[in-house]
Amino acid sequence: MTFDLLMAAIGAAGAPDRLNPVKLFLDADIVVQVVMVGLLLSSVWTWMIIISFSLRMGGVRRRSDAYEEDFWDAPNFEAFQKERGRANVPLGKVAGEGLAEWRRNAGMKSVDPEGARQRIGMAMNSTVAEEADKLADRLNFLATVGSVAPFVGLFGTVWGIMNSFFQIGQQQNSSLAVVAPGISEALFATAIGLFAAIPAVIAYNRFSHRVNAFEARMQRFADRFLSALTRQLEQG
């Protein structure tokens, strides 16, 4: 009986066969519309970051593979660095910083191998951290959207429901035909919030893992190169 009354009320309101997102947006309260626009812009920016980061990370990986393979085969690290060091490769910057510190220590009158090892290691570790920060620069926005967007959408939903109840009071009519459209528009804000948040969270977790993995790769490269440089200092 109750279900029949609900269906009759919906039919009396002339409800469409399916939801129309554009109509839901246009019929929503101005506050809810502002929330929806903000969330949609955040979603567009999120996808731009996802696409650009994927392309950037793929290019960095390919250049690093080629650089590292040739680097360890080079007979002379300094000559190789002069030839390939200007390329935009994070590993090249780590190697360049290590070689610069190595030359400064090699030019000293009295070389302390342990002190030189620590200084060279600190120089390369600092570059590793700097390059990792550059790669992860835009990921904070994904984390922000993933954590905040559902609550922003919920704010729009709460505001829309409050407005629907206000209309009930104004019209002194509590029928479903009065309250249902406003509630639908309000819930649409939460749906957009989730639409923005879900890919942001997935992308942030995935990309953070890739940045951490590449940082670990740079650290292994730095450790291996540090061993090679300190051997040369001890022999020299």
Side-chain angles (χ1 to χ4, degrees), residues 1 5 11 24 29 47 56 69 71 77 120 125 133-134 149 158 170 174 186 188 195 223 226:
M1 185 67 177
L5 290 175
L24 288 174
D29 181 81
W47 280 105
R56 181 186 180 190
E69 182 179 355
F71 182 85
F77 291 142
I120 296 171
N125 290 342
D133 288 342
K134 288 180 181 178
V158 171
Q170 289 291 99
S174 60
F188 189 47
F195 177 78
D223 292 341
L226 175 61

Side-chain angles (χ1 to χ4, degrees), residues 221-232:
F221 174 84
D223 292 341
R224 185 178 175 186
F225 190 40
L226 175 61
S227 298
L229 291 177
T230 51
R231 279 196 300 269
Q232 292 185 25

Side-chain angles (χ1 to χ4, degrees), residues 124-219:
M124 288 195 291
N125 290 342
S126 177
T127 306
V128 167
E130 183 179 347
E131 292 301 313
D133 288 342
K134 288 180 181 178
L135 288 175
D137 183 41
R138 287 184 167 184
L139 297 188
N140 287 335
F141 183 80
L142 298 181
T144 301
V145 171
S147 59
V148 173
F151 294 101
V152 175
L154 184 60
F155 167 76
T157 296
V158 171
W159 185 273
I161 291 175
M162 289 170 56
N163 186 59
S164 295
F165 280 109
F166 177 77
Q167 295 299 324
I168 290 175
Q170 289 291 99
Q171 300 181 26
Q172 296 183 351
N173 184 352
S174 60
S175 70
L176 190 61
V178 173
V179 70
I183 293 177
S184 297
E185 296 152 11
L187 291 174
F188 189 47
T190 296
I192 296 178
L194 294 175
F195 177 78
I198 291 173
V201 171
I202 294 174
Y204 176 78
N205 291 333
R206 179 59 182 165
F207 291 160
S208 295
H209 173 74
R210 292 178 66 180
V211 170
N212 291 337
F214 191 77
E215 183 178 8
R217 175 182 177 177
M218 288 191 292
Q219 191 61 59

